Amino acid sequence: MAGEKKGLQLLDFWVSPFGQRCRIALSEKGLPYEYLEQDLGNKSELLLRSNPVHKKIPVLLHDGRPVCESLIIVQYIDEAFPGKDGKPALLPADPYARAQARFWADYVDKKLYDCGTRLWKLKGEAQQQARKEMLEILRTLDGALGDGKFFGGEAFGFADVAIAPFTAWFLTYERHGEFSVEEECPRLAAWAKRCGERESVAKNLTPPEKVYEFICGMKKRFGIE
């Protein structure tokens, strides 16, 4: 669009695991960008104009043109900036491997966040059901990872970018569900630690205690004891 700012801008919210995916992808590609923190209680004109359909973060602006939805943004970054400075692609070249990476990213989007929300929001039998589902989800991911270093094998890739932000939420899930990820899913826990050692992940993830404090604040706002 004429007159729009050139370069990359990310409309985001500090604790959002969906926004953190985009930050990790940008970091993996070595791309400079302007971070624009959003007030989700008083959404900016820029956010509403950039994502008029969903009115949600994250939104990536590339030379003023908006790209919405976190997984679509990560794929866009991978495709729009291929091989920048020798950085490898996030999605593998093999079509089957690409399909598998997309499958697990989609699985997390459909399962993990919603279940985690129910785990800290609900009580009694409903919370116990959410706990059961959460353990099933985490065990499924543990099985999918297997003995691999990352979800795509030896290389950190698209599925890892999609799932890694939720590792910062594991502590919150553990405390509300009264379980240990390390005990229940040792391979997934080890993977989370490996991801956390990457610069792109370490500098973009919210510390787990901060996530827990944020959720405790949300519970007070909703009147949940």
Side-chain angles (χ1 to χ4, degrees):
M1 288 182 265
E4 295 287 359
K5 184 169 181 177
K6 296 294 183 181
L8 295 167
Q9 297 172 295
L10 183 66
L11 282 61
D12 201 356
F13 181 62
W14 67 278
V15 78
S16 168
F18 303 102
Q20 287 166 6
R21 287 172 170 169
C22 306
R23 289 178 243 164
I24 292 170
L26 289 162
S27 295
E28 284 287 328
K29 291 287 186 175
L31 295 168
Y33 66 97
E34 181 183 4
Y35 178 87
L36 300 174
E37 177 74 7
Q38 300 296 298
D39 179 355
L40 301 186
N42 183 24
K43 295 180 180 180
S44 69
E45 181 184 340
L46 179 59
L47 175 59
L48 296 176
R49 185 173 71 246
S50 301
N51 190 358
V53 176
H54 296 302
K55 303 177 177 62
K56 293 180 178 180
I57 56 93
V59 177
L60 180 73
L61 298 177
H62 185 191
D63 294 340
R65 298 183 300 174
V67 182
C68 306
E69 297 293 299
S70 64
L71 292 180
I72 294 173
I73 292 171
V74 173
Q75 291 180 73
Y76 177 81
I77 291 168
D78 201 32
E79 294 169 358
F81 302 94
K84 185 182 184 301
D85 298 329
K87 303 286 187 180
L90 297 173
L91 277 161
D94 177 70
Y96 182 78
R98 290 168 77 91
Q100 290 300 300
R102 288 177 173 137
F103 175 87
W104 290 111
D106 183 66
Y107 176 83
V108 167
D109 267 16
K110 289 179 177 176
K111 296 282 189 176
L112 188 57
Y113 187 76
D114 173 70
C115 184
T117 300
R118 287 186 284 116
L119 188 61
W120 64 259
K121 256 189 176 182
L122 303 178
K123 294 181 180 180
E125 189 175 328
Q127 187 189 50
Q128 287 302 306
Q129 178 61 33
R131 178 187 186 276
K132 179 182 177 182
E133 289 178 29
M134 176 59 73
L135 287 172
E136 289 176 356
I137 292 165
L138 295 175
R139 287 167 183 157
T140 297
L141 290 172
D142 189 82
L145 176 67
D147 295 323
K149 186 176 181 181
F150 296 108
F151 275 88
E154 288 298 306
F156 182 85
F158 182 77
D160 303 289
V161 171
I163 303 168
F166 291 97
T167 63
W169 293 68
F170 282 0
L171 178 68
T172 296
Y173 300 156
E174 288 175 327
R175 288 181 177 173
H176 286 88
E178 298 182 341
F179 63 82
S180 164
V181 174
E182 187 170 11
E183 290 179 6
E184 298 287 344
C185 307
R187 294 177 297 191
L188 189 65
W191 164 83
K193 184 177 179 180
R194 281 193 295 277
C195 288
E197 292 169 351
R198 294 183 73 84
E199 182 183 359
S200 65
V201 176
K203 73 179 184 180
N204 287 305
L205 256 57
T206 306
E209 285 289 352
K210 291 291 185 184
V211 174
Y212 180 71
E213 290 172 10
F214 171 76
I215 291 301
C216 288
M218 291 288 287
K219 291 175 69 173
K220 286 182 181 179
R221 185 182 304 176
F222 290 132
I224 302 170
E225 295 296 331

